[in-house]
Amino acid sequence: MNASQQTADEVAERLFGSLLGTVEVVSIFIGDRLGWYRSLADEGPASAVELAERTGTQVRYAREWLEQQAVSGLLVVEADGEPDERRFAIPESTAEVMTDTSSLAYLAPISRMFAAVGPALPQLLEAYRNGGGVSWDRLGDDARQSQADANRPWYEKQLGPALASVPEVHDALSAKGCRILDVGCGAGWSSIAMARAYPEATVLGIDIDQPSVDMAVANAREAGVEDRVRFLCQDAATLPDATVDVAFAFECVHDMPRPVEVLSAVRKALAPGGSMVVMDEAVADSFAPDGDELERIMYGFSLLVCLPDGLSSPPSVGTGTVMRPSTLKGYGEAAGFSGFEVLPIEGFGFWRFYRLT
């Protein structure tokens, strides 16, 4: 409904619904970080006393959370009784969303991103008033782990098949000795997924955030691909003196303060005939009011996370999460790429794939 057509009561009702959603997101963060969902999923139904004993937490808080989760429809009461004797169970559907790290429906980590914003709100207000920003580093491990854990199932389950569905990309990656560059690799799950999908290739992952690189190194070692995947902490605008065959940038170009410099460095590192694949948010082609849910959530991420991060390192173009296709095309042209296309990869989460040549 157009904003001008809403009554005050309708706006108030909408806000109340948003408040309920906010409470649920924060309560999910609590249950996720304290291990309460996982205990219920792995060890079975529990009373408040049992859940607290299992997880080393406080009974009175556990009881309030269990009751709130049941009232919210996320848990069920298996056996009623006195408050501390009631037993609560987690349905399979809730358990998958909150605890199954391999499921494409695993969304609990998103709560960590918004929790990370809470302590930074005074800094955000200062930046909104006087300029500057709030960097990814200042948001801390909750933000890092949120993005890494939420994206991991998509990379592990869908990235290989998605790339294989585009012949020109698949053929390049399948070539013996293919050298892959993963810009903005974060915790390394995209790099690891490509190494698994293309065993003849080697992967170099680069990220400007040292704690993320440390996670990537550990993840590659645990995955058993450290012999073909290595990671460096540095600004991608100053790439090491190396030639690569295919470059990737997964969900990071919109965060870059100077994306043209990075894309230009990547173009110069590409071997003749090489290309760059960019995965970024599948937002609408142009701005319009009364957008869909995807537009709304992406503007939310932009307001609270991505735009402040991009503006924290001046000079910055200040792209923000809502990077339209035309914006990326302009960045590519300014960086010296002559070709731009949207790849025919559908149904890959919230994202769209582009190819620069």
Side-chain angles (χ1 to χ4, degrees):
M1 181 183 295
N2 186 285
S4 63
Q5 297 174 325
Q6 297 178 80
T7 66
D9 284 345
E10 288 171 332
V11 174
E13 183 178 357
R14 172 177 173 167
L15 178 57
F16 184 72
S18 298
L19 291 172
L20 291 176
T22 301
V23 169
E24 289 190 6
V25 168
V26 175
S27 71
I28 288 168
F29 171 76
I30 292 171
D32 175 43
R33 280 314 204 191
L34 293 179
W36 285 343
Y37 289 120
R38 184 154 302 281
S39 176
L40 291 170
D42 293 347
E43 302 172 87
S47 66
V49 173
E50 292 168 331
L51 185 62
E53 288 178 349
R54 289 178 188 174
T55 57
T57 53
Q58 296 298 307
V59 173
R60 184 63 186 91
Y61 285 115
R63 187 180 103 197
E64 201 75 2
W65 181 83
L66 286 165
E67 292 180 359
Q68 181 267 342
Q69 292 285 285
V71 167
S72 298
L74 292 171
L75 300 181
V76 296
V77 179
E78 185 190 65
D80 207 352
E82 293 301 314
D84 284 342
E85 297 174 353
R86 289 192 194 101
R87 292 177 62 79
F88 297 81
I90 186 167
E92 289 185 7
S93 54
T94 303
E96 180 175 350
V97 173
M98 304 301 180
T99 69
D100 187 350
T101 60
S102 68
S103 172
L104 299 182
Y106 182 47
L107 286 178
I110 300 297
S111 69
R112 303 176 204 163
M113 185 68 74
F114 291 102
V117 171
L121 283 174
Q123 301 165 32
L124 283 171
L125 288 176
E126 177 65 21
Y128 270 60
R129 288 191 179 103
N130 300 309
V134 177
S135 69
W136 188 249
D137 185 58
R138 289 166 75 179
L139 290 179
D141 284 343
D142 277 332
R144 291 186 186 94
Q145 294 171 17
S146 170
Q147 185 167 42
D149 290 352
N151 289 357
R152 177 182 177 181
W154 287 94
Y155 295 147
E156 290 187 334
K157 288 190 170 184
Q158 298 294 315
L159 184 58
L163 298 177
S165 71
V166 184
E168 57 267 39
V169 175
H170 176 66
D171 291 346
L173 293 173
S174 301
K176 187 176 180 61
C178 177
R179 298 156 297 183
I180 301 172
L181 173 65
D182 188 1
V183 175
C185 63
W189 294 118
S190 52
S191 301
I192 293 166
M194 289 188 289
R196 284 173 165 167
Y198 296 96
E200 297 294 329
T202 58
V203 186
L204 171 62
I206 291 179
D207 200 282
I208 201 168
D209 182 60
Q210 184 65 59
S212 293
V213 171
D214 293 341
M215 286 194 296
V217 170
N219 291 335
R221 184 183 305 115
E222 185 175 347
V225 295
E226 72 273 20
D227 59 326
R228 294 188 296 112
V229 182
R230 66 187 181 99
F231 299 98
L232 294 176
C233 180
Q234 69 175 77
D235 187 341
T238 56
L239 291 173
D241 186 15
T243 302
V244 299
D245 300 295
V246 188
F248 292 86
F250 294 98
E251 202 184 10
C252 62
V253 172
H254 69 257
D255 291 309
M256 296 175 182
R258 295 167 290 281
V260 172
E261 290 184 17
V262 172
L263 296 179
S264 179
V266 171
R267 182 186 60 78
K268 293 173 183 176
L270 285 171
S275 63
M276 181 178 191
V277 174
V278 174
M279 185 194 84
D280 221 284
E281 271 60 25
V283 296
D285 288 343
S286 60
F287 167 79
D290 308 311
D292 62 17
E293 291 181 343
L294 180 62
E295 290 280 290
R296 290 168 59 189
I297 191 64
M298 292 309 165
Y299 268 110
F301 283 125
S302 197
L303 282 171
L304 301 173
V305 180
C306 299
L307 182 58
D309 176 43
L311 290 173
S312 69
S313 178
S316 172
V317 297
T319 307
T321 317
V322 189
M323 183 174 70
R324 308 293 180 192
S326 58
T327 300
L328 177 60
K329 181 180 180 182
Y331 291 161
E333 290 174 348
F337 286 100
S338 57
F340 174 87
E341 63 177 316
V342 177
L343 295 179
I345 297 174
E346 302 290 339
F348 197 98
F350 298 137
W351 302 291
R352 179 186 293 123
F353 287 77
Y354 307 89
R355 184 167 177 251
L356 304 175
T357 55

